[in-house]
Amino acid sequence: MSHLKNKSEILKDAARLLDAKGFYPAVAHCAYYSCYQLLIHIWLHSMGKSETDLVLKRTTYNAGSHETLINEVWEHIKRKNKSDARTFNENIFQLKRLRLSADYADASFGYTQSRKSMELSASITPILKNYC
């Protein structure tokens, strides 16, 4: 197993543990980064790209690394399975918004948002694993 896939599993387990303890904002963070680690794995190993390639794409699109990576992997998935691409796209941006809210918003982040984060991650992960 690659280090990135292993990190993804660790973060998924951490999300469950944090949810059980009621540390809800940290759940969204771990659920999101569990998926993000798989995105990086796909970029490097399945798509055969490098970290430098990602930096160059970011510059071309004038976008952040997360948005660029999500869009590039989405295109990769879409070429192979439009249904997977649609589900991935719908869910990854919802999960990203929840993570941003949990990490940065001056607002409460509770049980409902935590559970939604884990549900979204659980729907994204099998799709991404199909392309690892």
Side-chain angles (χ1 to χ4, degrees):
M1 179 182 293
S2 82
H3 295 294
L4 291 164
K5 288 168 90 176
N6 187 48
K7 288 177 185 180
S8 174
E9 289 298 318
I10 290 168
L11 287 167
K12 182 173 61 173
D13 290 344
R16 285 190 205 113
L17 292 170
L18 291 163
D19 183 70
K21 291 285 190 180
F23 300 142
Y24 301 128
V27 171
H29 183 90
C30 288
Y32 174 80
Y33 278 101
S34 173
C35 294
Y36 192 75
Q37 295 295 341
L38 291 176
L39 290 170
I40 297 169
H41 175 86
I42 292 168
W43 176 260
L44 295 173
H45 300 284
S46 299
M47 296 172 67
K49 305 290 185 175
S50 69
E51 291 178 22
T52 303
D53 293 330
L54 184 57
V55 170
L56 293 172
K57 282 283 184 188
R58 255 184 80 200
T59 304
T60 301
Y61 292 141
N62 194 27
S65 60
H66 290 234
E67 185 176 342
T68 301
L69 187 59
I70 289 168
N71 289 330
E72 287 293 312
V73 172
W74 173 74
E75 287 288 342
H76 175 72
I77 294 170
K78 187 170 79 167
R79 284 190 290 275
K80 297 173 186 263
N81 186 314
K82 290 184 193 252
S83 177
D84 280 353
R86 186 172 30 260
T87 301
F88 166 73
N89 197 47
E90 290 169 359
N91 292 331
I92 193 68
F93 285 108
Q94 287 182 59
L95 180 56
K96 184 178 177 190
R97 280 191 295 278
L98 284 167
R99 198 270 306 175
L100 290 171
S101 174
D103 285 353
Y104 304 115
D106 186 13
S108 67
F109 193 95
Y111 175 83
T112 302
Q113 294 96 332
S114 174
R115 285 299 163 118
K116 183 66 175 176
S117 298
M118 291 194 332
E119 288 169 13
L120 289 165
S121 180
S123 71
I124 294 164
T125 299
I127 293 170
L128 294 177
K129 284 184 175 182
N130 284 337
Y131 301 92
C132 282

